[in-house]
Amino acid sequence: MTIDERAQVPTARRIVVKVGSSSISGDNAGQIGPLVDALAEAHGRGSQVILVSSGAIATGIPYLALDGRPTDLATQQAAAAVGQNVLIYRYQDSLDRYEIVAGQVLLTAGDMENPTHRSNAKRAMERLLDLRILPIVNENDTVATHEIRFGDNDRLAALVALLVEADLLVLLSDVDALYTKPPQEPGAERIGHVGWGDDLAGVEIGSTGLSGVGTGGALTKVSAARQAAERGTAVILTATTLVAEALRGETVGTWFAPAPSAEDAADGVSAASAPVDDAEAAQAATL
């Protein structure tokens, strides 16, 4: 089904929620509980929910006695190997309150580019959802290399949403919405709605986030939102602390309207709705 407006969110058949490292690691590890509460609420009303969760490396850092996020690939892989185990345990420990079982799915960019691997991933997640298991997806940081990484899990979340034909994608971060400029700057105004075809002219979108443990930022989220919306998936961009409200269809964050249905699209839509490409991302462009 197509979710055309917020009021329809509670009726979504399939939902992908993405959460970033800064929201569920370090001092914010306690946010896993409220996040799970919101996911369980949606799961309880019959929606099929997939969580795309960053945080393996950030979670593993303290166990390796490191002062900050490692810069070399081998240490990142080591931190991910330790952190992914801890992260899944924390999710499952919280999900136990609702008698919901999690299923771990680790992917690389190569998996999504290879037709056989992509088909296998889709089949596995479809079966998990049919069994009422909650898939928790992350990039397989232990084996991924710089050359074949997704770059951030916003892009991964959009690809997963397209893979499973999700009705709704919710991108969570430490910022409550998209703003006309970085929200910490004077004069920044919240954008509540981005219509299909809106080109976001004059909006300054930075390439980095507020936290030092993640890899994404507003630019990657807008790119991911556009990629999903282009294929008919509605998107909400908001803060992790507002996930419950977002999944209830309340007016929080920024709503990216999905592409119209095939019959409506015949009327024509603006080419400005195309996703932000790699060149734009590299430049952290002003859209």
Side-chain angles (χ1 to χ4, degrees):
M1 64 181 296
T2 300
I3 302 296
D4 295 313
E5 56 187 34
R6 289 179 187 267
Q8 296 175 311
V9 166
T11 68
R13 177 186 64 93
R14 185 167 289 177
I15 301 170
V16 174
V17 177
K18 182 267 176 178
V19 66
S21 299
S22 62
S23 296
I24 45 85
S25 63
D27 293 339
N28 289 329
Q31 287 193 137
I32 286 179
L35 172 60
V36 165
D37 292 339
L39 300 180
E41 182 179 327
H43 183 275
R45 62 175 176 251
S47 296
Q48 296 180 330
V49 182
I50 296 173
L51 176 64
V52 177
S53 176
S54 303
I57 293 176
T59 300
I61 287 173
Y63 295 91
L64 273 61
L66 301 175
D67 295 329
R69 184 182 178 90
T71 56
D72 66 290
L73 182 59
T75 308
Q76 289 177 4
Q77 292 171 324
V82 174
Q84 186 66 32
N85 176 55
V86 176
L87 188 61
I88 289 297
Y89 171 80
R90 290 174 179 172
Y91 278 124
Q92 185 59 67
D93 186 53
S94 192
L95 286 165
D96 283 345
R97 296 175 291 135
Y98 298 98
E99 298 183 347
I100 297 174
V101 176
Q104 179 176 256
V105 180
L106 298 177
L107 299 171
T108 66
D111 292 326
M112 298 299 278
E113 294 169 358
N114 181 296
T116 300
H117 292 186
R118 186 171 62 247
S119 176
N120 288 339
K122 178 178 174 62
R123 182 173 59 245
M125 282 192 278
E126 292 281 0
R127 187 58 180 142
L128 287 169
L129 292 171
D130 289 343
L131 293 169
R132 299 297 287 160
I133 304 298
L134 196 155
I136 299 179
V137 183
N138 195 1
E139 180 162 17
N140 194 348
D141 292 308
T142 302
V143 301
T145 66
H146 290 304
E147 291 76 19
I148 60 169
R149 294 182 64 86
F150 288 105
D152 61 81
N153 273 357
D154 296 309
R155 179 183 171 218
L156 172 59
L159 292 173
V160 169
L162 299 180
L163 183 69
V164 302
E165 300 176 4
D167 307 313
L168 176 68
L169 169 62
V170 181
L171 299 173
L172 303 174
S173 70
D174 50 4
V175 180
D176 67 325
L178 178 65
Y179 284 78
T180 53
K181 60 176 66 178
Q184 68 271 23
E185 294 186 8
E189 298 180 5
R190 175 179 170 271
I191 300 172
H193 185 276
V194 177
W196 170 247
D198 286 359
D199 62 4
L200 296 177
V203 176
E204 299 176 13
I205 302 177
S207 60
T208 57
L210 300 179
S211 168
V213 296
T215 59
L219 187 67
T220 67
K221 288 173 177 56
V222 170
S223 178
R226 283 178 158 177
Q227 184 177 8
E230 184 184 49
R231 297 283 292 275
T233 298
V235 182
I236 299 173
L237 192 162
T238 194
T240 304
T241 54
L242 296 174
V243 60
E245 291 86 344
L247 291 176
R248 292 174 190 145
E250 298 180 20
T251 308
V252 297
T254 300
W255 172 269
F256 286 79
S261 59
E263 55 270 23
D264 293 335
D267 295 332
V269 294
S270 170
S273 58
V276 178
D277 62 22
D278 292 341
E280 289 173 303
Q283 297 172 4
T286 297
L287 302 182

